[in-house]
Amino acid sequence: DFAVKTGVPVVGIYDSHGAPLKEGMDALNASGELMLWVNNLSGVVPQVSLVLGTCGGSAALIASSADVVIAS
């Protein structure tokens, strides 16, 4: 919300092996919310993804949706 109001860039930092299976629907819900925000911010504010380690599953989809992706 703050980024939309002020126009500041959003920086996402990704280093994840994915969610444990036991988290199930909670993990899917959280991933869906993140994807919704990334989609809604697209074209509104700049988005930068920093991929600092393993980036699997939905985290890879979210990270690759940014305007700029920096991977180490």
Side-chain angles (χ1 to χ4, degrees):
D1 289 333
F2 183 73
V4 172
K5 291 177 186 174
T6 61
V8 298
V10 173
V11 178
I13 301 172
Y14 301 92
D15 185 359
S16 172
H17 290 283
L21 290 176
K22 65 182 177 182
E23 291 184 7
M25 294 305 290
D26 291 334
L28 288 173
N29 185 44
S31 294
E33 286 186 35
L34 282 172
M35 287 182 200
L36 176 67
W37 274 105
V38 167
N39 183 54
N40 290 343
L41 291 174
S42 181
V44 178
V45 297
Q47 297 180 65
V48 178
S49 288
L50 302 175
V51 180
L52 303 179
T54 303
C55 188
S58 59
L61 294 172
I62 297 168
S64 66
S65 301
D67 300 311
V68 177
V69 179
I70 301 169
S72 63

